Amino acid sequence: MAVLSILDREHTVAPPGYSRWLIPPAALAVHLCIGQAYATSVYKTSMVKHFGSSQTAVGVVFSIAIVMLGLSAAIGGTWVERNGPRKAMFVAACFWASGFLVGALGIGTGQLWLVYLGYGVIGGIGLGIGYISPVSTLIKWFPDRPGLATGLAIMGFGGGALVASPLSRQLLSLYDGNYDPNVSTSVAGGGALVGLFLTLGVGYFVIMMFGVFNIRVPADGWTPDGFDSSSVRQKPLVTTANVSAANAIKTPQFWFLWVVLFCNVTAGIGILEQASPMIQDFFRGSGGKSSVAVAAAAGFVGLLSIFNMAGRFGWSSTSDVIGRKPIYAMYLGVGIVAYALLATVGHTNTVVFVLLAAIIISFYGGGFATAPAYLRDLFGTYQVGAIHGRLLTAWSAAGIAGPLIVNGFLDHEGKPGTLTASAYRPALFTMVGVLAVGFVANLLIHAVAEKFQLEASSTVEAAS
């Protein structure tokens, strides 16, 4: 259709004088919307009651979405690079919004499988395409500060829950007068859930369109004022050559980085998935009553979201200064110490517990945001978005492994509501081992061999 030709790459080339600082807000518009995935716990209890199912059955919806994120990013990465960010972001918006609409149909008809199909599969595809679509564009606009650029956008994914959580509660209270957004145990009816999904689907589509029509790619040969490309060659592990996505997965560097991301995410997601009950369990007295109130536990979850978001921007920007390999050494090395301290002294003081958990989650977020810049350093800018898509399969695997490790140990230790800090120690020490594996993998990363690099003429021909 001619009207859709505006989405083509050739119609997104920025005119002379276009400010590159308009690109991060466009990317942020998409990432803030798809970051809603972190806020599914807001309506999880209401969904359980509405469908008369178990927590696990409803929780599978989120797991499917994360798995589809990794798969769609891996499979669709090359298509995203070929068609450009505007078309990719438009497709992501269509899938993400459609996922909510199909999910609303499933809620309205009482068919949980439709929620799996809608939010899980269809929405998950939108998650994956939307997550990677702005990455290579941002890196091309910010060759001098790729960590800052990707951190600005991916920060939105971590911070999406900060907007979506209170918004979802208020919408549920609007559609159901019996629902109290200030009471964690309050349950909304099926009609309110349908209204929520419809509103979010339409609202997110409109916001993502802002990103779609404001995204631009730089003209061929464009560089920022004052940028000296020769300075890139002077940095360790940073190449000015290019490696295709097909060749990248043949290199040991890609798989070492896959292990690094898997380990970092596995450790962090184990805390995030259990955050609210975990802080209550750590400070549960001999009588079975926790000294941490439900409201305080909810505040702790919100605080972790802030550190998750801040880590994505702060640590990723710091990597532009100290390098990607050293920053991952910090994520993993300091993370080992933090997990060990959490297991041994975390129960002694709530301030100590919160501080250690906040550090861990900031590293978790930072690891996501630094990964695209690390890929750019190793493989160049040519197909960095497609390579990033393949790397995100590590997230899908970690999204399964992290909760399985933590929940497996906790199920063995006792029932929810009766656990104490000692019940978490086996899982926490396991995470220490997981991070140690990632630390070693990061040490093994070195410059990519020339045999995997493309000649300059090959990248030009492929892009045309």
Side-chain angles (χ1 to χ4, degrees):
M1 292 177 64
V3 69
L4 293 180
S5 64
I6 193 175
L7 302 174
D8 294 340
R9 175 184 282 274
E10 57 265 29
H11 294 142
T12 63
V13 178
Y18 191 83
S19 174
R20 61 176 176 167
W21 292 103
L22 296 175
I23 305 303
L28 194 60
V30 172
H31 274 251
L32 276 172
C33 292
I34 63 177
Q36 189 275 344
Y38 277 145
T40 54
S41 60
V42 170
Y43 49 80
K44 183 178 180 181
T45 303
S46 299
M47 294 269 282
V48 169
K49 182 178 180 181
H50 175 69
F51 286 106
S53 61
S54 65
Q55 294 273 356
T56 301
V58 172
V60 166
V61 177
F62 175 76
S63 297
I64 293 173
I66 295 300
V67 169
M68 290 305 301
L69 184 158
L71 293 177
S72 61
I75 295 170
T78 304
W79 178 88
V80 169
E81 289 284 353
R82 186 171 60 250
N83 288 275
R86 178 174 289 176
K87 183 175 288 186
M89 289 162 70
F90 177 76
V91 168
C94 291
F95 272 96
W96 184 234
S98 298
F100 278 100
L101 301 185
V102 174
L105 178 63
I107 296 169
T109 59
Q111 301 294 318
L112 184 56
W113 70 270
L114 275 175
V115 183
Y116 290 163
L117 173 64
Y119 191 95
V121 177
I122 299 173
I125 294 172
L127 277 174
I129 301 300
Y131 193 90
I132 65 171
S133 54
V135 168
S136 62
T137 304
L138 282 164
I139 287 175
K140 289 166 185 172
W141 276 107
F142 291 84
D144 49 342
R145 285 178 281 184
L148 178 144
T150 55
L152 278 172
I154 294 176
M155 172 183 69
F157 193 88
L162 287 178
V163 177
S165 292
L167 174 63
S168 297
R169 290 191 182 94
Q170 292 303 319
L171 286 173
L172 287 174
S173 66
L174 176 65
Y175 297 134
D176 185 346
N178 295 320
Y179 176 81
D180 188 344
N182 300 312
V183 178
S184 62
T185 55
S186 186
V187 175
L193 290 170
V194 171
L196 172 67
F197 269 53
L198 290 175
T199 304
L200 292 179
V202 174
Y204 282 143
F205 184 82
V206 172
I207 296 170
M208 292 172 81
M209 285 301 101
F210 168 84
V212 167
F213 290 107
N214 282 282
I215 196 73
R216 297 286 189 281
V217 295
D220 291 340
W222 176 89
T223 56
D225 293 339
F227 175 66
D228 181 7
S229 60
S230 64
S231 64
V232 172
R233 298 186 181 92
Q234 301 170 7
K235 297 181 180 180
L237 288 184
V238 182
T239 183
T240 54
N242 287 293
V243 179
S244 69
N247 280 346
I249 61 174
K250 299 175 184 177
T251 66
Q253 288 85 352
F254 175 86
W255 293 107
F256 284 141
L257 188 52
W258 192 98
V259 172
V260 167
L261 185 64
F262 170 80
C263 293
N264 192 60
V265 174
T266 297
I269 211 167
I271 288 261
L272 273 181
E273 200 260 347
Q274 274 295 124
S276 181
M278 185 177 181
I279 190 172
Q280 294 177 76
D281 292 341
F282 257 65
F283 299 96
R284 192 178 304 282
S286 56
K289 184 175 177 60
S290 176
S291 61
V292 178
V294 173
F300 171 64
V301 174
L303 181 67
L304 290 187
S305 295
I306 293 173
F307 274 87
N308 183 5
M309 181 174 63
R312 291 170 188 248
F313 175 69
W315 293 129
S316 184
S317 299
T318 302
S319 75
D320 285 335
V321 179
I322 69 174
R324 255 57 83 171
K325 189 171 182 176
I327 201 78
Y328 269 99
M330 183 192 74
Y331 296 156
L332 299 159
V334 178
I336 289 171
V337 176
Y339 261 102
L341 290 174
L342 194 62
T344 53
V345 300
H347 65 288
T348 60
N349 187 282
T350 53
V351 174
V352 172
F353 177 91
V354 171
L355 179 61
L356 291 171
I359 291 171
I360 290 169
I361 295 305
S362 76
F363 292 163
Y364 166 83
F368 276 119
T370 312
Y374 209 160
L375 291 171
R376 179 260 167 268
D377 290 352
L378 293 169
F379 303 110
T381 61
Y382 170 50
Q383 288 190 329
V384 67
I387 300 170
H388 185 216
R390 288 157 172 77
L391 185 72
L392 288 180
T393 56
W395 184 3
S396 295
I400 297 171
L404 276 179
I405 290 172
V406 175
N407 291 328
F409 279 113
L410 294 183
D411 287 342
H412 182 265
E413 293 292 331
K415 294 182 179 180
T418 66
L419 302 174
T420 61
S422 61
Y424 288 81
R425 288 190 186 120
L428 294 176
F429 281 123
T430 299
M431 294 306 181
V432 169
V434 169
L435 288 172
V437 172
F439 186 85
V440 172
N442 185 56
L443 290 179
L444 295 173
I445 294 176
H446 52 82
V448 176
E450 289 187 10
K451 66 179 181 179
F452 296 108
Q453 297 173 353
L454 299 174
E455 295 181 3
S457 59
S458 299
T459 61
V460 173
E461 291 171 5
S464 60

